[in-house]
Amino acid sequence: MLGGQLAFHLLNVLLLTLVVAPIVLWRYRRAVLAGMQGGSGAVLPVPPVKARGPEPAAPAAPTQALPQPAAWERRHRRRVFVAVLAAIAVPALLMAALALRLSGYALTPTFLLLKAGIACSIAVPIFAVLTATSFWRAVRIWLVALAALGVAVILMSMLQRLARGATPGLDQLMNFVVVFRLAALDLWLPILLGVAIGAKRVRGVAPLVFSGLLVFGLAPFLGAQLTQWLTSTEVGATWVLTAAGLETGFFLIALPAGLLAWWRLKRLARDFEAKRFSEAQLLARTWWLLMVTSQAVQLISLHPAPASVVTTLALSTFAYLLFPPSLALALRLARGTVARPAARTLLLLRVFGNTAHTESLFDRVASRWQLIGPVTMIVAPDVAARTVDPGDFLRFASGRMAAAFVNSQADLEQRLAAFDSQPDPDGRFRVGEFCCRDTTWQATVVALIDRADAVLMDLRGFAAGRLGCAFELHQLAARLRPAQVVLIVDASTDRALLGRAAPAPTAGAMTIVEVERGNAGQIDASFAALLNASR
C-alpha cells in the first residue's frame, strides 16, 4: 500500500502544481501591472545626452586574444552536455544497481549500462535549459542519444558474451529495440511530470510551487499514517474517535509542514540571491527529483518488504542529494581555464503587450544571449513568465512586491550599482529586471541604454500611439552608435512611423531584421546581427 500511497501523493502534488502555478503567475502579472500604473510624485528627469566619442577602431588581429562568441558558444555547448552527463552518471548507476538487485537481476555491465543509460538520457532536457536549446532540437538530440545507447548496449552485450567464451549472435541486435521499450516504461512518468513543470509558460514559478506543495503535501499523507498508528492502540483510538476526530493526524502535522515548506522557499530564494545556483540549475534539480522519485515509487510498489523500502528510500535520497553538487562541480570543470568572450550587456526593448512575440524573442534570443553576457529589460506582464525568479516569487508571496519597483532616483541608482554582471555557477548570466512606475520608466530605460553594449528592439506591432517606443527610438539614435542597435520588424511594423521616430540617417544605419513569427532562421539571423552589433 505504501508504494500506491506515495504515487498518489506525487500525482496529487503534480495536479495541484498544474492548477496553482498558472494562478500564481497570473496574480504576479497583475501585481506587476498594478505597480507599473501606481506611480506617484514627480517624473524622474532623463539624464542629458553624453558627447559621443569617435567610432572605435577595429582591433588588430594579434590583439584578438579572446574567442569569437559564435565559435565559443558551439564549444561551450559540447562541454556542458558532457558535464551534465557526467554529473548524472554516478547517481544513475546507483539507482540502476538498486533496481537490478531488488528485481533479482545480475549486476552485469550490459544491464547496468541499459538501466543507467536510460536514466542518464534526462541529461538532454537539462542540457537544453542550460544552453537555451530549442524544444524540437532537444527532442532530436534525445532520440539520437537513445539510439547511441542502443548501439552501445549491443556492443557491450557482444563483448560480455565474448568474455564468457560464447559467440555473439544476431539476436543481440534486438537490444536496440529493448532500449526504446524500456525507455518508454521508465521515462513516461518523469517526462510527463517534467513537461508539466518545465513548460516555458510556468517555468519561472512551477519548480518553486512544486517544491512547496511537495513538502506541505506531506501533511495529509503523514497525517493519515499518524492517525492510523494512533487508532492501532486502545488509548489512541479512544482519543481520536471521541475527542480529537479522524483529522487529528493532519492537524498535528499541517502547521509544521507549512512552516517547513515556507522555510524551504525562503532558503531557495536566499541561495538564489547568493548565486549558489541558477534558475536552470533549480529546474535541473527538480527534474532529477522527479526522475528519482518516480523510480523509487515504482520500486516500493514492486518490493514492499520493509528492508527493501528502507533501502530504496535511503539510496534514492542519496542519489538525489548527490546530483546538485555533482552538477555544480562538473559545470565548473567544464568551464575550467578556457577563455570566454568578454561579457557584453544586451538591452531588450519591445512593443509592450504582445506576449507571444515577446516570449518567443526572449526564448530564442535573450536566453541564448545569457551565455554571452547579462540581459537587461523593463519588466511588464508580457514577459513576467520568463523573468520571474525565486527572489521575485518570495517578494510576491510575502506581500513585498512594491520593493521590486524603481520608485525614486535613489532606487534607480541603487539598482544600477547593484547590477549583477557576473555569471552564475552554470556559466550563464542573469537577466537584470527593472520594474518601473509610470514616473520612472523613462529615466530607467535611458540609464540602461547608456550601459548597453548592444540593443535589440522588437518593433513588431509598432504603430501610431506607441509613444513609449518612439521615445526609446529617439534616445537610441541620440545615445548609441547605429551599429549597436538591431531592430526587428515584420508586416505589422509601421515603417513610415519608424522613419519619423528616429532621424533618417541614424535609423538607416541601424540593422533591421525581418522576423515573421515562428521563423527560427530569421530569429537566428537577429542573434548573429546582435553579436556583430556588440563588437
Side-chain angles (χ1 to χ4, degrees):
M1 292 293 291
L2 181 60
Q5 289 175 321
L6 289 173
F8 183 70
H9 169 62
L10 183 62
L11 289 175
N12 276 342
V13 171
L14 173 64
L15 292 175
L16 283 173
T17 301
L18 293 177
V19 174
V20 173
I23 294 175
V24 170
L25 187 57
W26 172 70
R27 291 294 302 166
Y28 179 78
R29 281 173 165 158
R30 292 288 300 272
V32 170
L33 181 60
M36 292 172 59
Q37 299 172 341
S40 60
V43 176
L44 291 190
V46 174
V49 177
K50 298 178 181 178
R52 186 182 299 169
E55 294 289 326
T63 64
Q64 195 71 17
L66 296 178
Q68 292 299 315
W72 176 86
E73 183 190 17
R74 289 192 294 271
R75 293 194 297 269
H76 178 72
R77 286 175 179 272
R78 293 193 291 268
R79 292 195 298 267
V80 168
F81 186 83
V82 173
V84 175
L85 198 60
I88 290 180
V90 174
L93 279 171
L94 291 175
M95 293 299 296
L98 173 65
L100 292 173
R101 177 62 69 188
L102 291 179
S103 300
Y105 291 101
L107 297 180
T108 63
T110 300
F111 282 163
L112 283 172
L113 176 62
L114 175 62
K115 192 72 175 175
I118 290 173
C120 284
S121 69
I122 200 173
V124 174
I126 294 175
F127 156 80
V129 171
L130 287 169
T131 57
T133 300
S134 65
F135 174 79
W136 290 114
R137 186 181 179 190
V139 170
R140 292 194 295 270
I141 294 174
W142 205 336
L143 292 176
V144 171
L146 289 177
L149 175 62
V151 173
V153 169
I154 291 173
L155 295 176
M156 181 64 74
S157 64
M158 289 181 173
L159 291 174
Q160 190 172 307
R161 188 173 289 186
L162 285 172
R164 295 201 307 265
T167 303
L170 293 177
D171 61 300
Q172 291 175 294
L173 297 178
M174 285 300 296
N175 285 331
F176 190 87
V177 179
V178 170
V179 167
F180 283 87
R181 289 179 59 187
L182 188 58
L185 290 173
D186 283 0
L187 297 178
W188 73 269
L189 183 57
I191 289 176
L192 178 63
L193 299 174
V195 168
I197 290 177
K200 292 177 180 178
R201 289 277 180 174
V202 295
R203 182 183 294 175
V205 298
L208 297 169
V209 172
F210 179 80
S211 177
L213 290 176
L214 188 65
V215 176
F216 183 71
L218 291 173
F221 173 72
L222 296 179
Q225 304 299 315
L226 178 59
T227 301
Q228 183 179 359
W229 176 78
L230 287 173
T231 54
S232 64
T233 64
E234 182 177 354
V235 175
T238 301
W239 180 63
V240 168
L241 295 175
T242 62
L246 294 176
E247 296 82 9
T248 300
F250 171 76
F251 288 122
L252 289 176
I253 295 178
L255 182 58
L259 292 175
L260 180 61
W262 182 248
W263 172 84
R264 179 59 180 163
L265 290 177
K266 292 177 67 175
R267 176 64 183 271
L268 285 173
R270 287 197 302 269
D271 288 348
F272 178 80
E273 296 291 345
K275 298 179 75 71
R276 295 190 178 96
F277 62 85
S278 68
E279 297 167 81
Q281 286 175 291
L282 176 60
L283 187 59
R285 292 184 189 183
T286 307
W287 278 340
W288 181 244
L289 173 63
L290 293 173
M291 185 72 184
V292 171
T293 302
S294 63
Q295 289 195 10
V297 168
Q298 183 181 19
L299 290 175
I300 291 173
S301 300
L302 295 174
H303 309 286
S308 299
V309 171
V310 172
T311 302
T312 300
L313 292 176
L315 198 57
S316 299
T317 301
F318 178 73
Y320 167 68
L321 294 177
L322 181 62
F323 173 67
S326 298
L327 179 61
L329 176 62
L331 291 173
R332 186 164 62 250
L333 293 176
R335 295 199 307 275
T337 57
V338 178
R340 66 184 300 162
R344 306 163 189 191
T345 301
L346 170 66
L347 172 60
L348 182 63
L349 304 174
R350 76 278 186 195
V351 177
F352 282 1
N354 196 331
T355 302
H357 281 164
T358 301
E359 290 182 341
S360 175
L361 186 71
F362 189 90
D363 295 336
R364 298 300 299 272
V365 176
S367 294
R368 188 176 169 187
W369 189 273
Q370 288 180 260
L371 295 172
I372 307 298
V375 177
T376 59
M377 62 191 309
I378 302 294
V379 175
D382 59 346
V383 78
R386 299 301 196 268
T387 60
V388 60
D389 59 42
D392 300 327
F393 181 88
L394 185 65
R395 278 190 295 270
F396 168 71
S398 58
R400 297 184 293 109
M401 193 66 186
F405 281 83
V406 176
N407 299 292
S408 63
Q409 186 65 38
D411 281 348
L412 177 57
E413 292 174 358
Q414 181 182 4
R415 300 294 172 83
L416 293 172
F419 178 71
D420 188 357
S421 60
Q422 298 301 313
D424 272 330
D426 61 4
R428 299 167 73 247
F429 292 83
R430 292 191 176 181
V431 177
E433 315 154 15
F434 287 78
C435 298
C436 299
R437 310 286 190 183
D438 285 342
T439 55
T440 61
W441 76 269
Q442 289 187 342
T444 301
V445 78
V446 166
L448 297 180
I449 289 173
D450 287 339
R451 287 163 175 78
D453 296 301
V455 176
L456 178 65
M457 187 169 189
D458 187 356
L459 290 172
R460 290 173 291 180
F462 177 55
R466 298 290 185 175
L467 299 181
C469 289
F471 171 80
E472 291 168 346
L473 282 167
H474 178 76
Q475 294 297 323
L476 289 173
R479 296 173 182 274
L480 295 181
R481 293 178 288 108
Q484 291 179 270
V485 182
V486 176
L487 305 179
I488 291 183
V489 299
D490 66 0
S492 65
T493 304
D494 189 331
R495 306 296 180 93
L497 181 61
L498 173 58
R500 294 193 299 270
T506 304
M510 293 178 182
T511 303
I512 298 179
V513 181
E514 188 91 21
V515 177
E516 298 296 336
R517 184 178 177 186
N519 192 316
Q522 291 177 335
I523 293 180
D524 289 340
S526 68
F527 186 82
L530 276 175
L531 291 180
N532 291 329
S534 65
R535 289 179 178 177

